[in-house]
Amino acid sequence: MINYPKEVVIEEQGLRDGLQSEKALVPKDKKLALINAVVDAGVKRVQVTSFVHPKLVPQMADAEDVCRGLKPTNGVIFSGLVLNTKGIERAAKAGLKHVAASISASDTHSRKNANASLAKARKGFAEMVKVGHQLGLTIRGGLQCVFGCRFEGRIDPAVVLDLIKEQLDLGIDEVALADSTGMANPHTIQQISAEVIELAGGMPVFLHLHDTEGKGLANALAALQVGIAHFDTAFGGMGGCPFIKGASGNISTEDLVFMLGQMGIECGIDINKISAVSRSLEDFFAKQFSGKMHRVLARDDIQIVRNYREGHN
Ligand code: ZN
């Protein structure tokens, strides 16, 4: 008998990981409307933007404006992605209380993506934690490319655990393990997650999964089985990494919400509302995203959908 968590926390990353891979710029007011819709659907954590150089990611050039337009909502955490101390300072100045900072577990990816060797990135990370805490921010630490790198292939789990230990010693408040390339499989997910959960000693451990190789939900299920209860997702299954070619698609919020619901695991998110957000984005960008349930739930001719709407699945 497997002990699944009773509740799961989902952090919606579509506003950042999703939108950043789209060329068509989304106006600030539309982003704020999306954030409100996501919160209305019951999402309790939203990564609203990233503080990167506007030239590198033009979609995030309005980071400060988006943060200043946020409607404070009880029990909802708004977070921003930061890559350096300048980003931390910008986030704090814009009024955020929570930031996500991470480095790559792959030296080659770090050199190409962050223009820093892994050794240099580690030093930079320590500085970010120091400055972030001085500014009173909660810091989600963590690693990218935990389960594989397109340049280096497999990443040695010992390296991953060493880097996580170092970050825990620095005093991060939460941990996130990102499968940035979608190369994880259920076996590696269970191996590494179990070890990190033990190291983290009760601190939330998030998994950030991409569906690049079609294993996204399988990996989420494997993670649930070893006690992971925190996931990043993106509406519609949008997303990617502008620096990793082909790293498309986070696991879709509505697909994970639907699967959890069928398994009797609570996440507090209204699947019909979040699906409507995804459909509105497909209309906006005039394209189809890789998630499934937002389209399934729009149909009237499928028995499972009727059952779901009537509350028995
Ligand atoms: Zn990602």
Side-chain angles (χ1 to χ4, degrees):
M1 199 49 204
I2 297 160
N3 280 326
Y4 287 99
K6 288 196 172 51
E7 284 174 29
V8 156
V9 174
I10 288 180
E11 178 164 311
E12 174 59 57
Q13 295 229 340
L15 274 300
R16 200 273 309 166
D17 211 346
L19 298 191
Q20 78 177 8
S21 42
E22 296 297 328
K23 281 208 174 64
L25 294 183
V26 181
K28 177 203 74 174
D29 288 343
K30 167 110 184 141
K31 289 181 183 174
L32 289 169
L34 283 168
I35 294 167
N36 290 339
V38 159
V39 169
D40 181 57
V43 175
K44 290 281 182 283
R45 294 178 60 119
V46 190
Q47 188 166 85
V48 292
T49 190
S50 68
F51 294 88
V52 289
H53 198 289
K55 270 195 191 135
L56 282 180
V57 190
Q59 187 71 271
M60 299 293 133
D62 58 2
E64 276 85 352
D65 292 339
V66 169
C67 291
R68 293 200 180 103
L70 292 171
K71 241 181 20 203
T73 311
N74 263 352
V76 176
I77 293 171
F78 296 118
S79 175
L81 183 75
V82 293
L83 305 177
N84 46 40
T85 49
K86 184 158 186 259
I88 297 234
E89 284 158 2
R90 283 175 62 194
K93 210 170 158 204
L96 284 188
K97 301 271 179 275
H98 192 287
V99 291
S102 63
I103 61 172
S104 183
S106 151
D107 182 63
T108 313
H109 176 240
S110 181
R111 287 172 196 269
K112 288 185 189 275
N113 182 30
N115 205 16
S117 67
L118 184 46
K120 191 175 163 199
R122 289 166 95 145
K123 283 199 192 114
F125 185 87
E127 190 60 22
M128 278 196 279
V129 175
K130 199 174 105 191
V131 171
H133 279 159
Q134 279 167 356
L135 292 168
L137 301 176
T138 301
I139 299 168
R140 186 174 99 159
L143 299 172
Q144 307 143 25
C145 295
V146 169
F147 303 92
C149 165
R150 293 285 166 205
F151 309 110
E152 293 190 9
R154 177 182 176 270
I155 300 294
D156 183 355
V159 170
V160 169
L161 296 177
D162 200 44
L163 289 167
I164 293 292
K165 254 186 238 159
E166 184 172 290
Q167 293 192 2
L168 291 168
D169 289 344
L170 288 167
I172 56 167
D173 303 290
E174 300 170 338
V175 190
L177 304 173
D179 182 21
S180 318
T181 56
M183 290 164 76
N185 65 64
H187 183 63
T188 54
I189 287 279
Q190 292 197 333
Q191 258 186 334
I192 293 178
S193 302
E195 299 228 41
V196 171
I197 286 173
E198 199 169 314
L199 279 178
M203 181 184 288
V205 178
F206 282 80
L207 270 196
H208 178 102
L209 301 172
H210 279 257
D211 198 32
T212 318
E213 298 183 357
K215 290 169 289 184
L217 278 188
N219 287 337
L221 177 66
L224 288 165
Q225 291 175 348
V226 294
I228 292 283
H230 296 77
F231 292 92
D232 290 350
T233 61
F235 35 49
M238 286 184 77
C241 170
F243 310 107
I244 303 178
K245 203 164 182 275
S248 58
N250 285 265
I251 54 170
S252 116
T253 307
E254 57 272 24
D255 293 358
L256 183 63
V257 167
F258 187 72
M259 186 179 89
L260 291 172
Q262 288 188 314
M263 293 173 70
I265 301 171
E266 275 300 319
C267 69
I269 299 174
D270 182 318
I271 184 141
N272 290 309
K273 285 185 177 177
I274 197 75
S275 294
V277 174
S278 302
R279 287 194 296 272
S280 78
L281 280 160
E282 286 191 334
D283 289 345
F284 181 84
F285 288 109
K287 64 162 123 168
Q288 194 169 303
F289 299 123
S290 61
K292 311 284 187 293
M293 284 313 296
H294 62 283
R295 276 192 303 279
V296 174
L297 289 171
R299 296 179 60 170
D300 283 321
D301 57 337
I302 300 178
Q303 186 61 35
I304 187 173
V305 173
R306 280 199 292 274
N307 286 346
Y308 189 83
R309 285 185 188 144
E310 285 154 22
H312 46 88
N313 49 18

